PDB file of all heavy atoms in Angstrom:
ATOM      1  N   ALA B 658     -53.702 -14.890 160.782  1.00  0.00           N
ATOM      2  CA  ALA B 658     -53.679 -13.705 159.926  1.00  0.00           C
ATOM      3  C   ALA B 658     -52.798 -14.001 158.711  1.00  0.00           C
ATOM      4  O   ALA B 658     -51.762 -14.662 158.835  1.00  0.00           O
ATOM      5  CB  ALA B 658     -53.127 -12.513 160.695  1.00  0.00           C
ATOM      6  N   ILE B 659     -53.243 -13.554 157.549  1.00  0.00           N
ATOM      7  CA  ILE B 659     -52.546 -13.845 156.295  1.00  0.00           C
ATOM      8  C   ILE B 659     -52.202 -12.527 155.612  1.00  0.00           C
ATOM      9  O   ILE B 659     -53.025 -11.615 155.574  1.00  0.00           O
ATOM     10  CB  ILE B 659     -53.452 -14.684 155.359  1.00  0.00           C
ATOM     11  CG1 ILE B 659     -53.863 -16.005 156.014  1.00  0.00           C
ATOM     12  CG2 ILE B 659     -52.786 -14.909 154.000  1.00  0.00           C
ATOM     13  CD1 ILE B 659     -52.800 -17.059 156.078  1.00  0.00           C
ATOM     14  N   GLU B 660     -50.982 -12.431 155.089  1.00  0.00           N
ATOM     15  CA  GLU B 660     -50.595 -11.226 154.352  1.00  0.00           C
ATOM     16  C   GLU B 660     -50.071 -11.567 152.967  1.00  0.00           C
ATOM     17  O   GLU B 660     -49.307 -12.523 152.797  1.00  0.00           O
ATOM     18  CB  GLU B 660     -49.504 -10.450 155.126  1.00  0.00           C
ATOM     19  CG  GLU B 660     -50.087  -9.467 156.112  1.00  0.00           C
ATOM     20  CD  GLU B 660     -49.012  -8.581 156.738  1.00  0.00           C
ATOM     21  OE1 GLU B 660     -47.902  -8.457 156.165  1.00  0.00           O
ATOM     22  OE2 GLU B 660     -49.291  -8.027 157.807  1.00  0.00           O
ATOM     23  N   TRP B 661     -50.482 -10.767 152.008  1.00  0.00           N
ATOM     24  CA  TRP B 661     -50.026 -10.905 150.618  1.00  0.00           C
ATOM     25  C   TRP B 661     -48.641 -10.308 150.460  1.00  0.00           C
ATOM     26  O   TRP B 661     -48.357  -9.234 150.998  1.00  0.00           O
ATOM     27  CB  TRP B 661     -51.024 -10.168 149.727  1.00  0.00           C
ATOM     28  CG  TRP B 661     -50.583  -9.781 148.344  1.00  0.00           C
ATOM     29  CD1 TRP B 661     -49.856  -8.678 147.995  1.00  0.00           C
ATOM     30  CD2 TRP B 661     -50.882 -10.470 147.133  1.00  0.00           C
ATOM     31  NE1 TRP B 661     -49.698  -8.641 146.638  1.00  0.00           N
ATOM     32  CE2 TRP B 661     -50.315  -9.726 146.074  1.00  0.00           C
ATOM     33  CE3 TRP B 661     -51.580 -11.630 146.823  1.00  0.00           C
ATOM     34  CZ2 TRP B 661     -50.428 -10.113 144.745  1.00  0.00           C
ATOM     35  CZ3 TRP B 661     -51.692 -12.014 145.503  1.00  0.00           C
ATOM     36  CH2 TRP B 661     -51.120 -11.271 144.479  1.00  0.00           C
ATOM     37  N   GLU B 662     -47.764 -10.985 149.737  1.00  0.00           N
ATOM     38  CA  GLU B 662     -46.465 -10.405 149.392  1.00  0.00           C
ATOM     39  C   GLU B 662     -46.143 -10.742 147.945  1.00  0.00           C
ATOM     40  O   GLU B 662     -46.270 -11.888 147.513  1.00  0.00           O
ATOM     41  CB  GLU B 662     -45.362 -10.982 150.306  1.00  0.00           C
ATOM     42  CG  GLU B 662     -43.985 -10.363 150.058  1.00  0.00           C
ATOM     43  CD  GLU B 662     -42.845 -11.100 150.771  1.00  0.00           C
ATOM     44  OE1 GLU B 662     -43.129 -12.091 151.479  1.00  0.00           O
ATOM     45  OE2 GLU B 662     -41.690 -10.699 150.583  1.00  0.00           O
ATOM     46  N   MET B 663     -45.734  -9.722 147.182  1.00  0.00           N
ATOM     47  CA  MET B 663     -45.303  -9.974 145.806  1.00  0.00           C
ATOM     48  C   MET B 663     -43.793 -10.136 145.814  1.00  0.00           C
ATOM     49  O   MET B 663     -43.068  -9.193 146.100  1.00  0.00           O
ATOM     50  CB  MET B 663     -45.732  -8.809 144.894  1.00  0.00           C
ATOM     51  CG  MET B 663     -45.345  -9.006 143.426  1.00  0.00           C
ATOM     52  SD  MET B 663     -46.013 -10.531 142.665  1.00  0.00           S
ATOM     53  CE  MET B 663     -47.611  -9.929 142.088  1.00  0.00           C
ATOM     54  N   THR B 664     -43.331 -11.348 145.550  1.00  0.00           N
ATOM     55  CA  THR B 664     -41.885 -11.608 145.545  1.00  0.00           C
ATOM     56  C   THR B 664     -41.393 -11.638 144.094  1.00  0.00           C
ATOM     57  O   THR B 664     -42.187 -11.555 143.152  1.00  0.00           O
ATOM     58  CB  THR B 664     -41.567 -12.971 146.199  1.00  0.00           C
ATOM     59  OG1 THR B 664     -41.955 -14.018 145.293  1.00  0.00           O
ATOM     60  CG2 THR B 664     -42.309 -13.137 147.514  1.00  0.00           C
ATOM     61  N   ASP B 665     -40.086 -11.785 143.918  1.00  0.00           N
ATOM     62  CA  ASP B 665     -39.535 -11.896 142.563  1.00  0.00           C
ATOM     63  C   ASP B 665     -40.067 -13.139 141.858  1.00  0.00           C
ATOM     64  O   ASP B 665     -40.107 -13.196 140.626  1.00  0.00           O
ATOM     65  CB  ASP B 665     -37.999 -11.969 142.617  1.00  0.00           C
ATOM     66  CG  ASP B 665     -37.404 -10.645 143.074  1.00  0.00           C
ATOM     67  OD1 ASP B 665     -38.136  -9.618 143.034  1.00  0.00           O
ATOM     68  OD2 ASP B 665     -36.228 -10.627 143.486  1.00  0.00           O
ATOM     69  N   ASP B 666     -40.453 -14.136 142.629  1.00  0.00           N
ATOM     70  CA  ASP B 666     -40.977 -15.376 142.039  1.00  0.00           C
ATOM     71  C   ASP B 666     -42.501 -15.388 141.964  1.00  0.00           C
ATOM     72  O   ASP B 666     -43.103 -16.446 141.769  1.00  0.00           O
ATOM     73  CB  ASP B 666     -40.521 -16.586 142.868  1.00  0.00           C
ATOM     74  CG  ASP B 666     -39.001 -16.721 142.859  1.00  0.00           C
ATOM     75  OD1 ASP B 666     -38.401 -16.398 141.819  1.00  0.00           O
ATOM     76  OD2 ASP B 666     -38.437 -17.139 143.889  1.00  0.00           O
ATOM     77  N   GLY B 667     -43.117 -14.221 142.165  1.00  0.00           N
ATOM     78  CA  GLY B 667     -44.580 -14.174 142.132  1.00  0.00           C
ATOM     79  C   GLY B 667     -45.161 -14.000 143.515  1.00  0.00           C
ATOM     80  O   GLY B 667     -44.423 -13.913 144.507  1.00  0.00           O
ATOM     81  N   PRO B 668     -46.497 -13.923 143.590  1.00  0.00           N
ATOM     82  CA  PRO B 668     -47.134 -13.641 144.871  1.00  0.00           C
ATOM     83  C   PRO B 668     -47.128 -14.849 145.804  1.00  0.00           C
ATOM     84  O   PRO B 668     -47.216 -15.994 145.359  1.00  0.00           O
ATOM     85  CB  PRO B 668     -48.567 -13.285 144.472  1.00  0.00           C
ATOM     86  CG  PRO B 668     -48.798 -13.976 143.171  1.00  0.00           C
ATOM     87  CD  PRO B 668     -47.469 -14.058 142.485  1.00  0.00           C
ATOM     88  N   VAL B 669     -47.016 -14.569 147.095  1.00  0.00           N
ATOM     89  CA  VAL B 669     -47.203 -15.601 148.123  1.00  0.00           C
ATOM     90  C   VAL B 669     -48.108 -15.027 149.208  1.00  0.00           C
ATOM     91  O   VAL B 669     -48.260 -13.808 149.342  1.00  0.00           O
ATOM     92  CB  VAL B 669     -45.870 -16.048 148.775  1.00  0.00           C
ATOM     93  CG1 VAL B 669     -44.983 -16.779 147.776  1.00  0.00           C
ATOM     94  CG2 VAL B 669     -45.138 -14.858 149.384  1.00  0.00           C
ATOM     95  N   LEU B 670     -48.726 -15.920 149.965  1.00  0.00           N
ATOM     96  CA  LEU B 670     -49.504 -15.517 151.131  1.00  0.00           C
ATOM     97  C   LEU B 670     -48.754 -16.000 152.372  1.00  0.00           C
ATOM     98  O   LEU B 670     -48.512 -17.200 152.533  1.00  0.00           O
ATOM     99  CB  LEU B 670     -50.910 -16.128 151.074  1.00  0.00           C
ATOM    100  CG  LEU B 670     -51.795 -15.638 149.929  1.00  0.00           C
ATOM    101  CD1 LEU B 670     -53.148 -16.341 149.952  1.00  0.00           C
ATOM    102  CD2 LEU B 670     -51.996 -14.118 150.004  1.00  0.00           C
TER     103      LEU B 670
END
Side-chain angles (χ1 to χ4, degrees):
Chain B
I659 301 285
E660 272 187 20
W661 161 277
E662 183 191 359
M663 181 58 88
T664 74
D665 291 343
D666 297 326
V669 293
L670 295 178

